[in-house]
Amino acid sequence: MIHLDPHPSNPHVELTREGFISLLDSAVDGMIIIDRVGSILTFNRAAQQLFGYQLDEVLQHNVKMLMPNPYHDEHDGYIRNYQQTKERKIIGIGRKVHAKTKSGKVFPILLSVGEYQENDQRYYIGIIRDLTEQLEAEQLAKEFRDRLAHVDRISTMGEMASGIAHELNQPLTAISSYVQAAKRRFKNANVDADKMNELLSKVEGQALRAGKVIERMRSLSKAEDTVRDRARINDLVKEAIDLLVPEATSRGVELKTEYLASNKEVIVDTVQIQQVVLNLVRNAIDVTIESGNQKGLIEINTQINVGNDAEVSVKDYGGGISDEMSDRLFHPFVTSKSQGTGLGLSISRSIIDAHGGVLEAENFNSGAIFRFTLPLAVSSDD
Amino acid sequence: MTDFLVHVVDDDDAVRDALLELLDSVEIDAVGFESGNSFLRAFTTDMAGCLVLDIRMPGMSGLELQKKLETLGSTLPIIFITGHGDVPMAVEAIKRGAIEFIQKPFRDQELLDCINIAMDTAKASYQQNLEKKVIKERLDTLTDREKEALELISEGHPNKVIASMMNISQRTVENHRAHLLEKLGARSTAGLIKLLVLANS
């Protein structure tokens, strides 16, 4: 029997079995008590609703009937193992696992387990919270973020089109000149096999260079489901910067980069993190030009910060963020530019948040520094 | 004989190399520079030939290099190569005296024609500079009185007037005139004046 102690002056109130069952039935979470071999002893109303079973369909049955594999096949082992080793893997901890309804539908739950002893018998009590809605909401938020990020990338690419066109035009110009050189050598019967081979190899190299530009554009414009993977922080930043150099150059701004000596690994959605770099650096270019700063310099660094996270910083000399902007900097649709959606920084922040990092801005005497962090991949191999 | 070279200034390694290959295939001597600054380091006023210049470069742009060379007294003809979006810059370059601008990617013949024009211009102005130099050297051998006489002759005064202005005899004016023709290597008074015009051009 369960003993409650509602008032210090009234030391024990005994709850009848009916009272106890009614207590369980009024809970919002599913509650199940099993014995030491896993047989179900009580199964409250919330659990009945959650799993779709009538009470008599589950009583005295092994609790593994509520579990999909691999839990189903291994649950007896879990109980035995705990009773032998007393090593707690779930009791008092709570874990996200999956459960299975009568109709076979698998759904996510948060499961917490407690234990108690009565008359030399050991019992386990499981409390089950359905996470379906929470996970759906999280998934929806992720889809929304991904879609907005995609919109932002497409709009960024539109703005970068002339720079990208220039970037493609360079290898095309080189290819055309190499080929014309080769043709003229043929025409003048000035055909040396080594020279021809050299020219053709150069053409090949430039065709691959053009292909890479296209590849980078394609990956930026991709809308498909985003995936996280190991990536090297320096490589990731450098690729994004390479895309920006033509635009910066034509606008008279120099991009100075300084990379971490060891190229550490992070686990990220590469395209989204590159999008953050693009947003920050393009903002810095705009600010530099609007401020009319003669220095025309933007510094991009990668480093490891004091918290042992990877950190990327973008520093401009554009006079800094105004007081009126600083409060709302990361709000959506806030922009100081004549053109632009005002989405860049707010999307950038939500991307970095979703990666477990932090995006912040601060002023220094002649400009602003935007920096974001990313947790390092575990067992980074260098 | 001075080397007439095509100086190719482009920050893109491949574009620069491809241009040099193209020029090499038609046996035009050329040399490449990766930036405006690296060209300026090599630049001297004796340099002969022409310049093929990328308009869009990090650091010093093609236009900035053009302005800088102008202040340094360069007479090298300039051909600009540009991307698609650079037409306004190219127009400014032409206003500042560039021979032509060519959009990338270009037909080789288009570039080679421009280079031929630029080289002809370069050679003509180089020849003119040489002559100018010779005349100036010859002018330096004149005495002060001869220079005075030359000035009055070039102003078109007759001997009689010059004689009275210089307070000498007409005979002496004749002598000065003969010496001037001889020293400057001219056949007639008209030729003398032509040389003066060239020297002062």
Side-chain angles (χ1 to χ4, degrees), chain A residues 135-285:
Chain A
L135 289 187
E136 273 173 5
E138 280 170 17
Q139 181 61 28
L140 207 64
K142 178 182 183 297
E143 279 170 21
F144 186 61
R145 187 176 62 238
D146 287 352
R147 245 190 267 163
L148 261 187
H150 183 240
V151 168
D152 178 61
R153 284 202 299 278
I154 296 293
S155 123
T156 303
M157 277 184 43
E159 292 164 21
M160 288 172 61
S162 110
I164 292 169
H166 180 262
E167 193 62 8
L168 265 181
N169 213 17
Q170 298 286 67
L172 292 181
T173 301
I175 288 171
S176 140
S177 296
Y178 283 134
V179 169
Q180 287 161 354
K183 277 168 73 181
R184 285 190 182 264
R185 284 179 180 272
F186 271 119
K187 200 168 143 197
N188 302 339
N190 180 11
V191 183
D192 167 68
D194 286 345
K195 189 73 199 175
M196 286 301 157
N197 190 33
E198 181 195 333
L199 288 174
L200 287 175
S201 301
K202 286 173 171 176
V203 167
E204 186 184 10
Q206 291 305 303
L208 293 175
R209 175 184 169 192
K212 268 192 178 162
V213 176
I214 307 241
E215 182 51 44
R216 273 193 305 227
M217 279 171 46
R218 275 166 53 107
S219 70
L220 267 181
S221 60
K222 251 188 332 202
E224 63 202 45
D225 221 14
T226 55
V227 278
R228 292 202 185 165
D229 219 335
R230 279 178 181 267
R232 294 188 179 276
I233 186 73
N234 289 353
D235 299 353
L236 187 121
V237 172
K238 185 174 182 306
E239 262 184 35
I241 299 297
D242 283 350
L243 267 182
L244 285 166
V245 167
E247 185 186 355
T249 300
S250 74
R251 297 174 73 184
V253 175
E254 186 192 348
L255 303 181
K256 193 176 149 209
T257 49
E258 198 180 316
Y259 294 111
L260 187 65
S262 67
N263 195 355
K264 294 277 190 191
E265 280 191 331
V266 286
I267 295 177
V268 294
D269 179 333
T270 299
V271 169
Q272 289 195 348
I273 297 301
Q274 289 183 332
Q275 173 175 12
V276 174
V277 175
L278 288 185
N279 278 335
L280 296 184
V281 178
R282 293 191 72 249
N283 280 347
I285 294 175

Side-chain angles (χ1 to χ4, degrees), chain B residues 33-181:
Chain B
F33 299 88
E34 60 177 18
S35 71
N37 277 322
S38 71
F39 178 73
L40 281 178
R41 276 196 291 278
F43 176 77
T44 65
T45 43
D46 295 343
M47 231 177 210
C50 70
L51 207 53
V52 175
L53 194 50
D54 185 15
I55 215 159
R56 204 195 263 227
M57 287 186 289
M60 183 183 294
S61 75
L63 281 182
E64 284 163 350
L65 179 59
Q66 183 187 27
K67 287 177 198 163
K68 185 91 190 165
L69 285 172
E70 207 179 304
T71 64
L72 292 175
S74 163
T75 56
L76 293 175
I78 300 177
I79 300 157
F80 276 100
I81 46 177
T82 73
H84 290 296
D86 304 332
V87 173
M89 279 197 275
V91 170
E92 193 191 334
I94 294 288
K95 279 187 187 155
R96 293 187 155 271
I99 289 211
E100 188 57 276
F101 72 90
I102 303 176
Q103 284 204 357
K104 293 188 224 178
F106 40 78
R107 298 199 59 78
D108 53 352
Q109 197 54 54
E110 195 185 353
L111 177 72
L112 294 176
D113 287 348
C114 284
I115 285 180
N116 283 334
I117 293 168
M119 283 306 219
D120 287 347
T121 311
K123 281 175 186 162
S125 74
Y126 187 82
Q127 195 55 41
Q128 211 179 36
N129 280 343
L130 272 188
E131 286 169 16
K132 225 159 121 175
K133 220 168 146 190
V134 171
I135 297 163
K136 280 193 170 153
E137 278 166 11
R138 289 178 188 169
L139 283 172
D140 286 343
T141 67
L142 300 183
T143 65
D144 287 349
R145 289 301 267 179
E146 283 168 347
K147 282 180 186 164
E148 204 179 328
L150 178 59
E151 201 180 324
L152 294 170
I153 290 168
S154 71
E155 283 167 6
H157 301 293
N159 282 356
K160 210 168 101 181
V161 176
I162 295 171
S164 81
M165 285 173 86
M166 289 180 70
N167 213 5
I168 52 176
S169 69
Q170 282 197 44
R171 174 74 193 218
T172 313
V173 177
E174 287 293 343
N175 278 340
H176 280 323
R177 192 185 291 264
H179 280 138
L180 285 170
L181 290 178

